[in-house]
Amino acid sequence: MYPAVCASWMYCIQAPNCPLVHFDISNNPLGHTVPNAGDAKLAAQDVRSALGKNTSLRMLNISKSVFAPTELVAVFGGLCMNTSIKELHLGDLALDEPDCLQLAHAIDVCSSLNVIDIPNSKMGPKGAKLIIHQISVHARRIKYVDFSNANLGLLGIVPLAHVLAQHDCAIQTLKIQNNNILDEGGEYIAKQLAHNHVIKYLDVSNNHLGRDSGLAFGDLGRGIHKEGKKIAHSPIRSFYIQDNPDIGYQGSRYLADGFVVSHLEKINLSNIGAGPHMAYTLARAFRVATFTWLYCDISKDKLTRFGLNEICWSLRQNRKLRVVRMGDNDAGTDFCTNADQLGVHGIALPRVIRENVTLREVYLSHLGLNSEASVTLMEALTENYTIRKVNLSSNFMDDEVSYALSEMLRANDVIEDLNLSDNKMAYNVCFVLAECLESNHSLLTLNVGKNSLGAAGTATVEAFCFALNMNCRLRSLIMDTNRLGSEWGCLLADTFCRNNTLNRVSLLDNRFDKRAGQALYRAYAANGFLSELAVTRDEVGDDSFDQIARLMRKKKAIVTDADIAQDTGIELELSKVLYEYY
């Protein structure tokens, strides 16, 4: 939607009888002047006029609208005349100091505004101070603040920390990730939050935090104290501090030790430089009956297989956690093999899979699981009836897992999302998948990308295509980088014409040619259910790629030219509409 169309919408918005409450025009090039399609400056003036006269809107989203800073001054001027908007979303818009000054005035004037969502604004500490000052004045009504990737730095985080310590502060959600606040800023904001009783969601990820920040947040997790006596638990329910590797062994252990006694529900501790001692701390907490965590991410740390085994043994008795991510932890190739067996008690990870009845998602990527470990794990999954999402990507599984995989897919009718990408699986696994997809009625998403399924040529393609024709459940299929070849592409295209359940298919980097590209385009055009098809321009040729890209634009309805500039792609998650439909 270009600036000329914006004028028509704004004419409707400013009408006295306008019934619109939520207005989302994000991801549109409204700020891009195009001949015969409107002028960006006029569009900004139209928005200003409409917002000044409208009394019905409660939510406005103009994220990714490409407005220049000079044009945003006019847009924010319209907000200064509006007293009805409650939610303001301004993501991915570059703000300079005049913009911040005008926006600060809008926050002051618009008495109903309680959600300020301005991620990726790059406004810097000077512009942020203008906005934060008005937030401090109206702290009792502001409930949501997103300053992520705003270049706040240490200078910008100090006044925001003072706002959080105010007795009338009502901010419940605060996102300040990727702001380079350093260890001093993290420690300062943690100490100021000790006076806060309302914040529930806190994201301080990727901020170059260090050991002192870990210790300060650990104290915060222990609760609110007065005169040496604990008077309340920490109000935080979701805490994200990932991608701060300088926190290190000691800081991460103290941090975990503080939050295991809180009423936290979601925590992300990935890539914070944690070691085995943090794993032992978590293992003790997982056994406590009053433990409250539902989601725990401890991936990309250095827990080693000894720390992971401690966590696995404790998870057998845990009845609260729903999602556990523990991939990429330097586990080594002995993890989950007979070398990990603890006498008559067996191997820890399979015992968890068999005995835990509350886990719903398990992420075990980048753990170095070999075929022996994978077979043991799949045998355990055969007896599990609660886990719905399994990620075994980036390990060392090969065709030796084919029989165990076959038994798991036949016996388990609960797993909906299975990720086996970036392994060493080839002919036998491809044939097993063909046999099992025909009868499996639970899988919604299957990812077998970055394997060698095409290593045996076209020997298994007919069986695989027949299975896709018979399967009536699968929604997403990802087969990137499998060296399938042109014949696979043509036969898969013929299969897609007959399949009426697949919604997303990704076939990037599979050595297709123009013939396969044309076959895939015709299948994509004929299948009304298939909404997303990912192929590589260099393989299928410019003509076929452009045809597929245009058709994808038509099917998806909302997409920009930048989205299809290189390769087509698929979304990682089903949209809300499709999720509810299926």
Side-chain angles (χ1 to χ4, degrees):
M1 187 168 71
Y2 286 95
V5 182
C6 181
S8 301
W9 274 109
M10 293 306 115
Y11 179 78
C12 299
I13 292 293
Q14 65 184 352
N17 58 347
C18 176
L20 289 178
V21 177
H22 287 206
F23 189 51
D24 186 346
I25 51 174
S26 60
N27 200 23
N28 281 295
L30 303 177
H32 185 49
T33 300
V34 179
N36 301 322
D39 186 275
K41 293 182 179 179
L42 295 178
Q45 294 174 8
D46 291 335
V47 174
R48 173 191 174 94
S49 176
L51 292 178
K53 297 177 181 179
N54 181 274
T55 57
S56 65
L57 283 182
R58 298 295 181 268
M59 188 279 289
L60 175 65
N61 188 346
I62 57 173
S63 302
K64 298 182 180 180
S65 54
V66 206
F67 277 125
T70 53
E71 296 153 0
L72 287 173
V73 173
V75 174
F76 297 156
L79 288 173
C80 294
M81 298 180 284
N82 189 290
T83 57
S84 63
I85 291 179
K86 294 183 177 181
E87 299 183 20
L88 183 59
H89 302 274
L90 306 170
D92 296 282
L93 294 174
L95 306 182
D96 57 13
E97 289 184 38
D99 291 329
C100 294
L101 180 61
Q102 190 77 303
L103 180 57
H105 183 51
I107 295 172
D108 183 34
V109 174
C110 189
S111 58
S112 60
L113 187 64
N114 55 35
V115 173
I116 303 174
D117 182 21
I118 46 177
N120 306 316
S121 63
K122 306 288 186 181
M123 55 186 169
K126 291 184 178 179
K129 284 182 178 181
L130 298 172
I131 297 175
I132 293 171
H133 173 69
Q134 290 301 329
I135 292 177
S136 67
V137 175
H138 304 282
R140 65 176 66 251
R141 64 172 165 87
I142 306 297
K143 297 182 179 179
Y144 181 106
V145 176
D146 187 348
F147 281 164
S148 56
N149 197 22
N151 290 342
L152 296 183
L154 188 58
L155 293 177
I157 205 65
V158 170
L160 182 58
H162 289 160
V163 175
L164 296 174
Q166 292 180 198
H167 70 279
D168 60 344
C169 178
I171 296 176
Q172 297 181 4
T173 299
L174 178 63
K175 298 180 181 181
I176 51 173
Q177 66 267 29
N178 196 24
N179 271 296
N180 197 26
I181 65 176
L182 305 179
D183 197 20
E184 295 85 350
E187 182 182 9
Y188 191 75
I189 202 167
K191 290 181 177 179
Q192 295 300 311
L193 279 171
H195 307 286
N196 188 290
H197 298 260
V198 295
I199 192 164
K200 297 183 182 298
Y201 183 107
L202 179 63
D203 190 340
V204 292
S205 57
N206 194 22
N207 269 306
H208 298 92
L209 306 183
R211 171 184 170 276
D212 292 338
S213 294
L215 299 177
F217 279 112
D219 289 333
L220 176 64
R222 285 176 169 80
I224 300 172
H225 294 75
K226 186 175 182 181
E227 297 178 356
K229 183 179 180 181
K230 183 175 180 178
I231 59 174
H233 286 287
S234 170
I236 298 175
R237 295 294 177 265
S238 299
F239 182 49
Y240 298 86
I241 195 173
Q242 69 272 18
D243 298 321
N244 288 295
D246 292 335
I247 291 177
Y249 279 25
Q250 184 180 5
S252 59
R253 181 182 181 183
Y254 195 83
L255 173 68
D257 196 34
F259 276 101
V260 293
V261 297
S262 69
H263 286 178
L264 199 70
E265 294 179 354
K266 296 181 180 180
I267 188 168
N268 192 327
L269 300 172
S270 66
N271 192 23
I272 61 170
H277 288 295
M278 189 187 79
Y280 301 147
T281 299
L282 294 178
R284 288 194 300 270
F286 289 168
R287 292 183 171 93
V288 179
T290 57
F291 187 75
T292 60
W293 295 6
L294 299 174
Y295 174 100
C296 179
D297 188 345
I298 49 176
S299 57
K300 298 181 182 180
D301 285 314
K302 301 175 182 179
L303 306 186
T304 73
R305 71 184 178 101
F306 304 105
L308 291 176
N309 280 328
E310 287 293 328
I311 288 177
C312 289
W313 286 120
S314 65
L315 281 175
R316 292 181 308 140
Q317 304 166 1
N318 185 278
R319 294 296 180 265
K320 194 67 177 180
L321 276 169
R322 298 295 185 270
V323 180
V324 175
R325 293 173 175 257
M326 51 184 179
D328 196 5
N329 263 295
D330 295 343
T333 54
D334 285 340
F335 181 61
C336 197
T337 62
N338 289 332
D340 256 351
Q341 185 166 343
L342 184 63
V344 297
H345 300 288
I347 305 172
L349 184 56
R351 289 287 301 273
V352 174
I353 301 298
R354 287 188 173 96
E355 298 178 22
N356 188 289
V357 295
T358 57
L359 283 176
R360 297 294 181 268
E361 299 180 15
V362 177
Y363 294 79
L364 303 170
S365 59
H366 295 88
L367 283 179
L369 298 175
N370 57 25
S371 293
E372 178 188 348
S374 302
V375 168
T376 304
L377 183 59
M378 290 178 184
E379 289 174 350
L381 284 168
T382 303
E383 303 175 27
N384 182 280
Y385 299 99
T386 59
I387 296 176
R388 298 180 179 275
K389 189 171 185 177
V390 179
N391 189 331
L392 297 172
S393 62
S394 303
N395 286 297
F396 299 119
M397 291 185 289
D398 55 23
D399 275 358
E400 292 183 16
V401 306
S402 57
Y403 179 76
L405 179 62
S406 173
E407 292 298 309
M408 184 191 77
L409 291 177
R410 292 178 191 277
N412 189 301
D413 59 353
V414 177
I415 295 177
E416 297 178 349
D417 190 323
L418 181 61
N419 190 338
L420 302 173
S421 63
D422 199 11
N423 281 286
K424 300 179 179 181
M425 299 181 296
Y427 169 82
N428 289 338
V429 169
C430 186
F431 193 74
V432 163
L433 289 174
E435 287 183 326
C436 297
L437 283 177
E438 184 178 344
S439 57
N440 184 279
H441 298 292
S442 64
L443 275 180
L444 291 173
T445 300
L446 177 63
N447 188 343
V448 288
K450 295 185 179 180
N451 282 287
S452 301
L453 301 186
T458 59
T460 57
V461 63
E462 292 186 4
F464 193 84
C465 291
F466 179 77
L468 288 180
N469 284 332
M470 298 299 294
N471 185 280
C472 59
R473 179 70 171 171
L474 198 64
R475 301 291 182 264
S476 300
L477 176 63
I478 302 173
M479 300 181 68
D480 301 335
T481 320
N482 269 294
R483 298 177 293 176
L484 298 179
S486 178
E487 193 65 26
W488 267 85
C490 295
L491 292 175
L492 283 173
D494 185 58
T495 302
F496 297 154
C497 291
R498 294 175 171 81
N499 185 286
N500 60 0
T501 59
L502 278 173
N503 179 258
R504 301 175 297 165
V505 176
S506 184
L507 300 170
L508 298 170
D509 300 320
N510 271 304
R511 299 185 180 179
F512 293 152
D513 57 13
K514 294 182 179 179
R515 182 170 66 96
Q518 276 299 304
L520 288 169
Y521 165 69
R522 290 192 294 269
Y524 187 36
N527 191 324
F529 297 93
L530 186 60
S531 64
E532 301 176 25
L533 176 64
V535 292
T536 305
R537 180 189 287 271
D538 294 341
E539 294 181 346
V540 302
D542 291 340
D543 293 339
S544 297
F545 180 85
D546 291 338
Q547 289 174 325
I548 293 173
R550 282 194 295 269
L551 186 57
M552 181 179 289
R553 261 198 296 191
K554 183 178 179 181
K555 288 189 175 186
K556 294 183 68 175
I558 301 176
V559 69
T560 64
D561 293 335
D563 293 331
I564 58 168
Q566 300 299 324
D567 291 339
T568 54
I570 66 173
E571 296 178 358
L572 295 179
E573 300 290 342
L574 285 173
S575 67
K576 184 177 180 181
V577 174
L578 291 174
Y579 184 80
E580 293 178 353
Y581 175 79
Y582 291 126

